[in-house]
Amino acid sequence: MSQKVLLNETEVHIALHRLACHLIENHDNFQNSVLIGLQPRGSFLANRLKYILVNDYKIKNINLGYLDITFFRDDFRRGGKPLEANKTQIDFLVEDKNVILIDDVLYTGRSIRAALTAIQSFGRPLGIELLTLIDRRFSRHLPIQPDYRGRQVDAINEEKVKVCWKENEGEDAVYLVS
């Protein structure tokens, strides 16, 4: 198994700040917008973006929640072992808000489809956007595209994209594993 670096620590840092700036351009002070990180991997990206927005760009009162999509997936009963759900934590209303769904890698689109169904349990958003650090554009099963992307990657199906976060794996990096 070999690994190729797609983004090193500096490039991850640049991509995160660029994504934060795009969010500010479209959502100004976030008064009518909320961030929702998809559990488990999207929560690291969502936390990092909120930190940058609050500390570097002085945006106040950003609502951040975490959404577990385990039982909304169309493949949750297909595996040999039972799935373990993560915790959904949304302590604000999404009704009539602009929701930004956040995940680390957009691959087939099935996780996002599940998230679109799951978020309806919390109200009817005014609009929903998708932010992803890595967009694997040639692997879609569903017609889903990100509104914000850190980097687009052309990976074939056998290749995996591995996103590492300092908080979890001890480094900020993105690898293509084959």
Side-chain angles (χ1 to χ4, degrees):
M1 191 176 340
S2 66
Q3 282 191 155
K4 174 186 171 191
V5 176
L6 293 176
L7 296 175
N8 62 30
E9 182 173 359
T10 301
E11 292 166 326
V12 168
H13 177 80
I14 291 167
L16 292 176
H17 279 268
R18 191 177 70 245
L19 288 166
C21 287
H22 286 175
L23 288 172
I24 293 168
E25 287 173 12
N26 292 335
H27 298 277
D28 192 31
N29 61 7
F30 288 80
Q31 182 178 347
N32 201 36
S33 301
V34 299
L35 304 177
I36 305 284
L38 300 189
Q39 290 280 32
R41 307 286 309 170
S43 61
F44 297 110
L45 176 55
N47 287 335
R48 208 53 98 68
L49 285 169
K50 180 178 179 181
Y51 181 86
I52 291 168
L53 290 166
V54 169
N55 293 296
D56 294 352
Y57 297 102
K58 308 304 181 208
I59 305 293
K60 305 271 188 257
N61 303 317
I62 295 178
N63 286 311
L64 169 62
Y66 309 103
L67 181 64
D68 179 64
I69 59 166
T70 302
F71 300 113
F72 292 91
R73 293 184 57 92
D74 60 3
D75 61 354
F76 86 94
R77 286 193 173 109
R78 292 181 176 219
K81 62 178 184 173
L83 293 177
E84 292 183 30
N86 292 287
K87 185 176 182 182
T88 290
Q89 181 183 345
I90 299 176
D91 57 359
F92 49 84
L93 296 175
V94 300
E95 188 78 27
D96 294 325
K97 298 284 185 186
N98 292 306
V99 171
I100 301 127
L101 294 176
I102 300 172
D103 206 3
D104 61 346
V105 178
L106 175 57
Y107 182 30
T108 64
R110 293 186 183 281
S111 293
I112 304 308
R113 192 227 33 95
L116 291 169
T117 302
I119 199 68
Q120 298 298 318
S121 301
F122 295 91
R124 184 177 181 198
L126 181 63
I128 299 176
E129 296 177 333
L130 174 60
L131 181 147
T132 184
L133 182 62
I134 302 295
D135 174 12
R136 289 188 59 168
R137 68 180 176 160
F138 292 139
S139 307
R140 296 290 187 281
H141 294 177
L142 301 169
I144 293 174
Q145 300 300 320
D147 298 285
Y148 311 94
R149 72 173 58 88
R151 172 127 182 231
Q152 201 167 51
V153 174
D154 298 335
I156 56 177
N157 287 335
E158 304 86 55
E159 296 174 319
K160 304 262 187 256
V161 174
K162 179 181 174 188
V163 178
C164 300
W165 298 105
K166 276 186 183 171
E167 300 89 310
N168 198 39
E169 290 93 0
E171 68 171 335
D172 285 339
V174 179
Y175 298 98
L176 183 63
V177 181
S178 55

